[in-house]
Amino acid sequence: MKTVKDYVITIPDFPEEGIMFRDITSVLQDADGFHLAIEEMQKRLDGVEFDVIAGAESRGFIFGAPLAYNLGKPFVPIRKKGKLPRETVSKEYALEYGTATIEMHKDAIKPGQRVVLIDDLIATGGTVKACAELIEELGGEVVKILFLMELAGLNGRDTLKGYDVDAVVTYEGK
């Protein structure tokens, strides 16, 4: 029986020498692989009490929206700055070279809502940490952060210390 890892194609030396790029498009391009990815992520939500699924742009949408649909929960997109039409709240965070800003609609999370945060990959954890802080600023509680893949060698869990973090597939390196 195949696992999600079997559907992930690894491209050595991309985008630069020494990097092992883990490509999720190979999972998405195979109906069985995509179905399995959603099933495996959904299993990790068994027993978790939550009200809302939030997903980080853009690949968090790919996995978060079907999970929300399957579980009968609302889906909240967390977008790059300038993409949302109504009043927003924003959070700036550090990148390797510079900064970026994410936004949510100001009314997307109600105080006291329990939120599962979804993204495709945890590397350093900076983007998702900013997402979690934005949810908390609106009064939400992040009860779980779930990824399809984790690059454990980049220590993203350290950045997300204090949160319940899980991943379907873990790669030990970078």
Side-chain angles (χ1 to χ4, degrees), residues 99-113:
T99 61
T101 303
I102 54 167
E103 295 182 326
M104 293 172 52
H105 280 132
K106 190 174 184 178
D107 63 354
I109 302 293
K110 313 283 185 287
Q113 282 188 313

Side-chain angles (χ1 to χ4, degrees), residues 7-22:
Y7 291 95
V8 176
I9 294 176
T10 299
I11 298 98
D13 299 321
F14 182 84
E16 59 186 51
E17 193 171 330
I19 302 294
M20 300 297 283
F21 187 86
R22 310 300 179 169

